């Protein structure tokens, strides 16, 4: 029997098609090669749920995405995660998408 996880329930607040449309409109993935906005969102939400305290633990948790392909996210290596967090703005755009 299928049951929705807490992570699945939280991610349902960000419908994949709507999320991708907004990301494209804002150009958030313009220079992203390996870590898309969706990958980063899933990793950070999972890290919050697991109360992760380091990039190493976030990266280790994202490696479990291979077993959870239904999340539409890929594993994110620690160095890529670090680059993504440093280069992307955490502020909302002045003109919301």
């Amino acid at each position: 029997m299928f049951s929705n996880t807490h992570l699945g329930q939280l991610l349902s607040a960000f419908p994949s098609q709507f999320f991708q449309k907004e990301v494209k409109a804002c150009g958030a993935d313009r220079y992203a090669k390996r870590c898309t906005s969706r990958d980063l969102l899933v990793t950070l939400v999972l890290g919050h749920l697991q109360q992760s305290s380091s990039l190493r633990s976030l990266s280790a948790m994202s490696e479990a995405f291979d077993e959870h392909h239904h999340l539409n996210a890929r594993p994110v290596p620690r160095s890529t995660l670090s680059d993504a967090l440093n280069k992307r703005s955490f502020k909302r755009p002045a003109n919301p998408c």
Side-chain angles (χ1 to χ4, degrees):
M1 184 172 162
F2 173 77
S3 65
N4 205 357
T5 62
H6 293 294
L7 179 60
Q9 290 173 357
L10 282 173
L11 291 176
S12 68
F14 305 97
S16 196
Q17 292 175 340
F18 176 75
F19 185 78
Q20 286 305 112
K21 179 181 143 194
E22 296 301 318
V23 166
K24 188 173 182 177
C26 290
D29 282 346
R30 183 177 47 221
Y31 300 113
K33 292 180 182 161
R34 294 195 58 207
C35 181
T36 64
S37 294
R38 178 75 180 181
D39 297 337
L40 190 58
L41 172 71
V42 172
T43 301
L44 293 176
V45 169
L46 181 61
H48 182 72
L49 286 175
Q50 297 291 328
Q51 297 178 347
S52 177
S53 60
S54 68
L55 283 177
R56 187 178 307 271
S57 60
L58 272 175
S59 177
M61 282 186 282
S62 81
E63 294 297 323
F65 291 162
D66 284 338
E67 291 125 24
H68 302 290
H69 59 279
H70 61 279
L71 295 175
N72 295 328
R74 296 174 295 182
V76 181
R78 186 179 69 216
S79 60
T80 305
L81 185 59
S82 175
D83 289 343
L85 291 172
N86 283 327
K87 292 180 180 177
R88 294 183 189 210
S89 175
F90 61 90
K91 298 177 183 175
R92 293 183 71 185
N95 182 13
C97 300

